[in-house]
Amino acid sequence: MYSSKVMEHFLNPRNVGEIKGANGIGEVGNPVCGDIMRMEIRVVDNRIEDIRFKTFGCGAAIATSSMVTEMVKGKTLEEAMRVTNKAVAEALDGLPPVKMHCSNLAADALHRAIQDYLNKEPSKGKALYEQD
Ligand code: FES
């Protein structure tokens, strides 16, 4: 039912936990099932230097959380903002159709964390959007 990548990330999730001194936090809930994902980032010089997550949810939600942290660690905010939920699911070699709604959390939580960072650092946000 699940790809080997989903199982691998579910059984050995990367970057679980919290960040001391996180400067962006994003939390989203899945209206379909009520599961919750929290993403914390530390941004330094416009790059995601560190990222951690806590997910109260199913195996697919944990696997997508883990995968998105690996995809964006070390990336610029612009690159991270371009990562979509679909790209995360594809990086895991897909999810079963009945679990696709579980992939709607990871990139959304990441983008909210970035938005939170930009709200706290408005001058950085201006620079980000001027480049786009
Ligand atoms: Fe809730 Fe998967 S069942 S995110």
Side-chain angles (χ1 to χ4, degrees):
M1 183 177 175
Y2 290 110
S3 73
S4 55
K5 277 194 193 169
V6 171
M7 288 308 295
E8 212 273 308
H9 277 266
F10 169 57
L11 294 172
N12 304 292
R14 279 56 144 189
N15 305 308
V16 176
E18 299 170 1
I19 299 174
K20 269 202 180 123
N23 50 12
I25 295 172
E27 205 169 281
V28 289
N30 191 327
V32 178
C33 60
D35 289 347
I36 295 170
M37 184 182 295
R38 180 183 169 95
M39 203 68 70
E40 297 190 359
I41 55 175
R42 185 167 61 232
V43 180
V44 178
D45 293 338
N46 198 49
R47 277 187 194 275
I48 298 182
E49 190 196 70
D50 201 4
I51 178 165
R52 307 261 161 184
F53 77 90
K54 278 188 173 173
T55 293
F56 304 92
C58 69
I62 290 167
T64 52
S65 308
S66 171
M67 177 53 91
V68 81
T69 64
E70 286 217 312
M71 289 169 80
V72 302
K73 201 167 187 177
K75 294 273 166 45
T76 65
L77 296 183
E78 294 83 351
E79 290 165 334
M81 283 301 275
R82 283 198 285 270
V83 172
T84 61
N85 289 322
K86 187 164 174 271
V88 177
E90 283 171 3
L92 288 165
D93 293 335
L95 288 167
V98 70
K99 300 300 279 181
M100 276 311 287
H101 74 92
C102 309
S103 71
N104 290 337
L105 294 178
D108 288 359
L110 166 69
H111 296 163
R112 276 198 195 178
I114 293 172
Q115 198 56 57
D116 181 53
Y117 167 76
L118 295 176
N119 290 344
K120 291 174 183 157
E121 304 274 352
S123 60
K124 306 276 180 14
K126 193 162 171 276
L128 176 67
Y129 289 115
E130 276 173 356
Q131 282 171 20
D132 274 341

